[in-house]
Amino acid sequence: MSLDLVIVGCGGHGREVLGIVRAVNAAATGGPVWRVLGFVDDGPSEVNLKRVRRLEVPYLGGTARLGEQPAGTHLALGIGDPAARRSVDQRLTAYRLPAAVLVHPDATVGPDTVYGEGLIVFPGARVTTNVTLGRHVHLNQNSAVAHDCALGDHVSVNPLGAVSGDCQLGDGVLIGAGAVVLQRLRVGAGATVGAGACVVRDVPASAVVKGVPAR
């Protein structure tokens, strides 16, 4: 029997999450895994509402509508920014709804990987072995997380971002598109690594670094 699911956020990231859900359902051999009830969003633009309608999935209203959903309904936070995702996650805990784990069938999650609720792995992403992923981590298209890494809660690795072996990323870290973190480095909580950067030394918490080498 399919599990009920609501996607939080009907912007581009949320609609990409719907694509992952549909790919998971299409690949399942025993019937669809998820039944998408709709999107919730507290401030959707008219453009995004129009795009959601084209996908033939209902817009349910603001996040307060989560209180009306059937018991056991799962949530997927379709919010790309780590800080915003953390804020919404904290606010929605009052509804006591579980967070879905979504792994696109074209992604790879290797052996000895431990992950929290809400993990979303986009197509082409690669996770190797002995990796720990926190709550609501998002690994975007064609990103990579190598062996022996630990990523905290609400981390985002954007498309083509690469985290080399034995790295630690604190809560809320954002690795920009095409950025690389070299092996055995630490990126502090809330830090941002700009697109295309190459991190060659530890990054302090809340810092913003960019360039090659990243500064």
Side-chain angles (χ1 to χ4, degrees):
M1 186 173 68
S2 300
L3 299 171
D4 290 336
L5 177 70
V6 173
I7 299 173
V8 181
C10 60
H13 200 73
R15 287 180 277 110
E16 288 179 338
V17 169
L18 175 64
I20 296 173
V21 174
R22 287 179 167 174
V24 169
N25 283 345
T29 58
V33 178
W34 301 104
R35 181 170 73 107
V36 179
L37 302 180
F39 287 89
V40 296
D41 193 314
D42 287 329
S45 69
E46 287 300 322
V47 169
N48 282 329
L49 288 176
K50 181 178 180 180
R51 290 168 177 168
V52 164
R53 286 194 292 270
R54 288 208 306 264
L55 294 170
E56 300 181 341
V57 176
Y59 168 64
L60 302 175
T63 54
R65 296 295 301 274
L66 294 174
E68 305 170 10
Q69 304 311 310
T73 297
H74 286 67
L75 303 180
L77 300 191
I79 300 167
D81 178 72
R85 191 160 68 247
R86 179 178 65 249
S87 176
V88 171
D89 179 28
Q90 291 170 345
R91 186 160 50 86
L92 298 188
T93 55
Y95 295 105
R96 300 183 181 275
L97 297 174
V101 171
L102 302 172
V103 179
H104 194 282
D106 290 335
T108 301
V109 177
D112 198 21
T113 296
V114 178
Y115 49 84
E117 276 195 335
L119 171 69
I120 301 181
V121 185
F122 287 68
R126 302 288 179 253
V127 180
T128 63
T129 185
N130 188 34
V131 173
T132 300
L133 305 168
R135 179 179 176 83
H136 289 291
V137 167
H138 286 195
L139 304 178
N140 286 279
Q141 292 94 333
N142 300 307
S143 61
V145 179
H147 60 87
D148 308 318
C149 285
L151 280 59
D153 295 343
H154 308 106
V155 169
S156 283
V157 183
N158 279 356
L160 296 171
V163 182
S164 303
D166 197 22
C167 289
Q168 293 186 11
L169 277 55
D171 293 346
V173 165
L174 172 63
I175 305 298
V180 177
V181 181
L182 297 186
Q183 61 270 21
R184 295 185 295 278
L185 294 179
R186 307 295 180 260
V187 180
T192 297
V193 176
C198 181
V199 176
V200 300
R201 59 180 64 88
D202 290 350
V203 176
S206 303
V208 178
V209 298
K210 56 186 178 180
V212 181
R215 294 185 175 89

